[in-house]
Each structure stands twice: as structure tokens, then as C-alpha cells.
Amino acid sequence: MLAEARKDLGLVGRPNHITREYAKAHGNEYLDAPWCDMSVTHWAHRSDNTAAVLPQGDRAYTVTHALDGRALGRWHAGTADNIRRFAQPGAIVFFDWGGSDSIGNIDHVGVVERNLGDGRVQTIEGNTGDACKRRVRGPSVIAGFWNPDYSKQEDDMPLTDADAKKVAKEVLASLTQEVGKDLWAARQGIFKPGSKLDFKTFMRQVWAYGKDGYAQSRAIRAELGALNAAVKTLAEALAQRDQAIDADALVERIRQEISQVTIRLSTAPADDEARTSQG
């Protein structure tokens, strides 16, 4: 908001680009109208602070703009104590040249650039002497002010690439764990005790060991299929030589014997370094 206001410092006369922009949206009568609140409206739009500064829409009339702040519960009367305690950079500040704190008597508006800490503020104002200038104002002319909730605008802004990478690193760090010696995967030789385990490493290992297990399973199934075929062939050959042999019963007996055999697959890969570097 303030960055956009500073760009217009030194702007003089009317019509100017602020009044032309407002008139394009609201009518040509604004081309030569007092442009102090048109300036605040312009800076709000240009800085993407429309919702915070203009909660009820564009403003060119200062009294209505002040009432917008009061309706939000953000209005502060222009006393020295209030100015010192509550006037923040970016506050919309309203002036009554007659010296009252009455919203109905407001004559002019600007934006607080800096709180001077003594009941005065440094402002940027459009249409002060028909120009955009910095001013120092105090409670004798400040009717009141309100602080827009700029935080909502900031929350809606997308993360930059740098911010996104920082968040991703912090999330990854929070999910990284040290492998304990009592962990099953450590006992089986899948991970080395004391090593750091994160999702990336974990998924690489799952992929590598899953691939190994699938390959071993296929090899075992193929070998068992070949053994079954050999057993059947052998039983049929024996039956042809000896009519007393029941080939089907012999095959079934051999299968039952084979079913009692326990096969243990090794869970440790032959080359740990090669497996952890995959993917």
C-alpha cells in the first residue's frame, strides 16, 4: 500500500491518472473532483489490498470511508494517546480542519507512513494543495483513523519458489528418523543402524526389495513348476515299467512330502550400495 502511494509523490493537478482511473469506473464527474480518497482507492487496488482498505467498495467520499472502518470495529478517535498507541503504517487517517473528532465533519484523508511516537504521524496524501505530498499531522486536525487488516491479504498471497522449497525442506526434516538398532529392517540388514531414514530413501528401499522379492518369487514358482512336471514324468515312467505302481498316488505322495519343506528367502540384498542408489 505504502509502496504504491510513494510512486505518486509529486503528482500535481487534475485530471490526473488517479482521477481518470476512478472516472472510468464511476463517471466523468470525478475527473476534476477532489481526489484525496480516490488516491487511497487507487493505491489499494494497485497493491492488491482492495478487500482490506475498501471493504464496501471504492470510495471517493471520506465520510463514507471512515464509516466503513467504524463498521468493522477498527475506528480510533484522533486523540494524541490513540495516535501514539494505535496508528500503524498503512492506517487510513481522516482529517477535520475544524479540529473535531466527528466523522460527519471529515474534510480530507491520507495514509499513515510512519508513527512519530509523540501523537503525530507522517502521512502520504493525495490532493493536498492539489498534489500528492508527505505531511506531518497531529491530533489538532486528525478526526480519527482505522487500521486495515492487511494480514488477510498477505495470507492469500501464493508462496514464492524459495518459500515453497523452504517449507518442503522443513517438512522433510520433520519426517526424517534415525534407524535404531532394534528396528526389524536394521536387524535384517535392510538399513544400517544410525542411518537417516526419510520418505525418499524409504521408497527407494521398498522399490528395490519389492523388486527383489518379486523376482525371487517368480524364480521359485518357475522352479516348482519344473519340479512338478519332472515328478509327474518320473511317476508315469515308473508306472509303465511296473504295473503295480499307481502313478497318481505316487505323484500326490511326492507333493505332500514337498509341501513339508520350508524355504527361507534372504531379506538382505547382495549389494546394499547398489540398491540404495537406485531411483
Side-chain angles (χ1 to χ4, degrees), residues 33-72:
W35 49 285
C36 57
D37 215 356
M38 285 191 244
S39 299
V40 176
T41 295
H42 173 80
W43 300 331
H45 282 298
R46 292 294 172 140
S47 63
D48 293 326
N49 284 302
T50 306
V53 176
L54 306 168
Q56 298 298 322
D58 293 354
R59 293 302 187 212
Y61 182 41
T62 53
V63 171
T64 306
H65 204 169
L67 289 172
D68 290 344
R70 189 174 73 174
L72 293 173

Side-chain angles (χ1 to χ4, degrees), residues 70-272:
R70 189 174 73 174
L72 293 173
R74 293 179 171 273
W75 179 259
H76 297 280
T79 65
D81 186 54
N82 280 347
I83 295 167
R84 184 172 57 254
R85 294 172 58 196
F86 301 118
Q88 301 172 7
I92 313 304
V93 58
F94 299 84
F95 307 99
D96 171 22
W97 306 138
S100 79
D101 291 341
S102 171
I103 289 179
N105 292 333
I106 289 172
D107 300 303
H108 183 59
V109 66
V111 178
V112 173
E113 185 177 31
R114 188 159 64 97
N115 189 325
L116 300 179
D118 58 1
R120 299 178 303 150
V121 290
Q122 177 177 297
T123 64
I124 299 177
E125 302 167 20
N127 194 40
T128 175
D130 205 24
C132 182
K133 299 178 182 179
R134 283 190 173 96
R135 298 289 194 186
V136 173
R137 306 289 195 184
S140 63
V141 293
I142 294 177
F145 60 93
W146 60 276
N147 295 297
D149 187 1
Y150 292 111
S151 64
K152 289 185 178 180
Q153 303 299 117
E154 295 171 358
D155 290 343
D156 291 339
M157 294 181 69
L159 287 174
T160 64
D161 288 343
D163 289 336
K165 289 178 180 178
K166 183 179 179 181
V167 170
K169 287 181 178 179
E170 291 176 353
V171 170
L172 183 60
S174 70
L175 297 174
T176 300
Q177 303 291 329
E178 183 175 313
V179 176
K181 63 181 180 179
D182 295 327
L183 188 68
W184 175 86
R187 296 198 307 270
Q188 295 297 324
I190 298 174
F191 294 109
K192 294 180 180 180
S195 61
K196 299 293 184 181
L197 178 62
D198 56 41
F199 276 139
K200 187 176 181 180
T201 304
F202 172 74
M203 292 308 297
R204 284 176 175 175
Q205 289 296 88
V206 169
W207 177 84
Y209 282 89
K211 183 180 178 183
D212 283 346
Y214 180 66
Q216 290 185 45
S217 176
R218 288 185 61 186
I220 290 170
R221 289 199 302 270
E223 187 174 347
L224 288 176
L227 287 173
N228 282 332
V231 167
K232 186 174 182 180
T233 300
L234 176 59
E236 290 173 348
L238 289 173
Q240 289 177 2
R241 292 178 57 185
D242 189 342
Q243 296 298 321
I245 295 176
D246 184 340
D248 290 337
L250 180 58
V251 170
E252 182 61 29
R253 181 181 175 185
I254 293 172
R255 284 177 175 169
Q256 289 179 2
E257 293 295 329
I258 290 175
S259 69
Q260 303 301 315
V261 177
T262 299
I263 299 175
R264 178 180 175 82
L265 298 178
S266 172
T267 58
D271 185 354
D272 284 344

